[in-house]
């Protein structure tokens, strides 16, 4: 299976309102804004150290969760950009703010739009070669998956819907790191469609560590997940495993993939 080659990541600076981002884990407390900015700086530094161009968008106080740029757009590299229709009301306006940036990279005929009653977050979309696994979650519905399939089928891509019940998004509980390796935790350890992969099972106490970024034979993972780190280090085929502290984002259910659009 051909591996993707990444050249550009889009990120967006966290805003002060980030402390009021949507969260399913209020017991972790509110994010510390200053520290979140510092962690974002480190995130950008790690990406740049891999030779990737980073397009850094300014913060937007109107949208507390807008640094999670993965959700309002999905890029099918070299083919299309799909502007999603984010499933959380307070985030839906982020799609219009993302559009001018996407228009810098794609002509209008290559930009598609998920439309109501379809709604989708990019955090639910996991590409594996020409197959797109898409989480059927609180943020992504069957109608949106149908629209997505209509956009990508003519390009020879396949879409498989995966029910998500324990996590915010599909990629909150599983990420694909190429070479047939899939990190999984919770319900995704049992998902029939995933049994064909080399499953790297992440224990419950380290479940946040399942969300890692694959980038050109390197991996960026959250700091503080030793079992995940050890498992990744034992796999052949990876050059660097970089750790980035994303603890402030964890407090509002954001992982490392959520903080960038990669293509
Ligand atoms: C939200 O609930 O929408 C944000 N607090 C977290 C979004 C995380 N995004 C992602 O997993 N792709």
């Amino acid at each position: 299976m051909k591996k993707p080659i990444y050249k550009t990541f889009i990120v967006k600076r966290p805003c002060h309102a980030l402390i009021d981002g949507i969260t399913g884990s209020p017991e972790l407390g509110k994010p510390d804004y200053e520290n979140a900015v510092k962690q974002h700086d480190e995130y950008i530094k790690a990406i740049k150290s891999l030779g990737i161009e980073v397009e850094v968008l300014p913060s937007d106080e109107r949208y507390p969760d807008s640094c999670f740029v993965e959700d309002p757009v999905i890029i099918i590299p070299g083919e299309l950009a799909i502007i999603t229709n984010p499933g959380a009301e307070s985030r839906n306006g982020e799609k219009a703010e993302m559009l001018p940036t996407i228009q810098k990279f794609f002509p209008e005929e290559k930009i598609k739009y998920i439309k109501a009653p379809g709604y989708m977050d990019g955090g639910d979309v996991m590409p594996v070669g020409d197959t797109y696994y898409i989480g059927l979650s609180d943020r992504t519905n069957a109608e949106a998956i149908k629209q997505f399939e209509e956009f990508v089928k003519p390009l020879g891509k396949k879409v498989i819907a995966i029910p998500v019940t324990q996590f915010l998004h599909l990629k909150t509980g599983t990420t694909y790191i190429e070479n047939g390796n899939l990190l999984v935790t919770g319900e995704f350890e049992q998902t029939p469609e995933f049994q064909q992969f080399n499953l790297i099972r992440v224990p419950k106490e380290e479940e946040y560590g399942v969300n890692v970024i694959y980038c050109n034979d390197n991996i960026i993972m959250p700091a503080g997940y030793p079992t995940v780190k050890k498992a990744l280090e034992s796999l052949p085929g990876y050059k660097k495993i970089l750790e980035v502290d994303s603890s402030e984002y964890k407090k509002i259910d954001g992982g490392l993939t959520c903080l960038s659009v990669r293509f």
Side-chain angles (χ1 to χ4, degrees):
M1 206 185 293
K2 242 175 95 188
K3 291 191 238 181
I5 297 171
Y6 294 102
K7 292 197 174 121
T8 310
F9 280 24
I10 300 170
V11 304
K12 188 175 177 88
R13 299 298 276 163
C15 57
H16 290 87
L18 168 91
I19 61 167
D20 295 318
I22 307 169
T23 184
S25 356
E27 70 283 359
L28 297 179
K30 281 184 186 273
D32 175 281
Y33 171 72
E34 303 297 335
N35 201 31
V37 170
K38 236 186 261 164
Q39 292 183 349
H40 203 257
D41 290 340
E42 291 303 315
Y43 181 72
I44 294 172
K45 225 189 275 142
I47 299 164
K48 284 188 173 165
S49 79
L50 299 177
I52 301 289
E53 292 249 344
V54 185
E55 172 96 7
V56 183
L57 308 180
S59 58
D60 186 342
E61 291 297 336
R62 293 169 301 167
Y63 301 105
D65 288 295
S66 52
C67 58
F68 300 120
V69 282
E70 179 180 65
D71 294 317
V73 63
I74 294 143
I75 292 187
I76 316 291
E79 308 268 15
L80 290 181
I82 300 174
I83 303 288
T84 68
N85 190 24
E89 214 183 316
S90 68
R91 299 199 59 191
N92 194 261
E94 291 174 29
K95 62 183 188 219
E97 302 310 315
M98 181 53 75
L99 186 57
T101 304
I102 295 307
Q103 285 167 331
K104 286 207 280 187
F105 295 97
F106 289 88
E108 199 51 49
E109 68 273 15
K110 298 266 184 198
I111 305 178
K112 305 289 175 195
Y113 300 83
I114 300 286
K115 295 199 178 116
Y119 54 89
M120 177 177 279
D121 273 1
D124 275 315
V125 179
M126 184 174 74
V128 176
D130 282 331
T131 301
Y132 283 78
Y133 294 94
I134 307 189
L136 199 48
S137 72
D138 280 352
R139 300 286 181 88
T140 298
N141 66 1
E143 166 61 27
I145 297 178
K146 193 177 115 218
Q147 292 177 26
F148 186 101
E149 190 173 21
E150 281 162 14
F151 298 144
V152 302
K153 223 176 168 179
L155 309 171
K157 316 279 185 202
K158 197 170 147 189
V159 170
I160 298 177
I162 304 288
V164 179
T165 62
Q166 295 172 355
F167 298 97
L168 172 63
H169 291 127
L170 178 69
K171 285 185 292 186
T172 320
T174 177
T175 52
Y176 186 64
I177 54 170
E178 305 302 325
N179 308 331
N181 296 322
L182 185 73
L183 275 79
V184 281
T185 192
E187 62 188 308
F188 303 126
E189 293 190 40
Q190 311 303 332
T191 303
E193 291 84 346
F194 293 159
Q195 301 308 309
Q196 60 179 303
F197 298 113
N198 175 38
L199 297 183
I200 297 132
R201 296 172 194 275
V202 172
K204 171 89 183 139
E205 61 280 11
E206 287 194 25
E207 70 177 15
Y208 179 79
V210 84
N211 182 274
V212 307
I213 296 175
Y214 166 88
C215 178
N216 305 346
D217 290 331
N218 302 291
I219 291 173
I220 309 176
M221 66 168 289
Y225 299 89
T227 313
V228 179
K229 191 173 179 205
K230 214 166 143 203
L232 293 175
E233 280 171 347
S234 73
L235 293 170
Y238 300 96
K239 293 189 247 176
K240 286 187 205 156
I241 294 168
L242 302 177
E243 281 181 282
V244 171
D245 191 355
S246 53
S247 57
E248 300 303 337
Y249 299 93
K250 180 183 179 182
K251 294 174 184 170
I252 50 170
D253 304 335
L256 288 185
T257 65
C258 323
L259 288 168
S260 55
V261 182
R262 303 161 293 277
F263 57 106

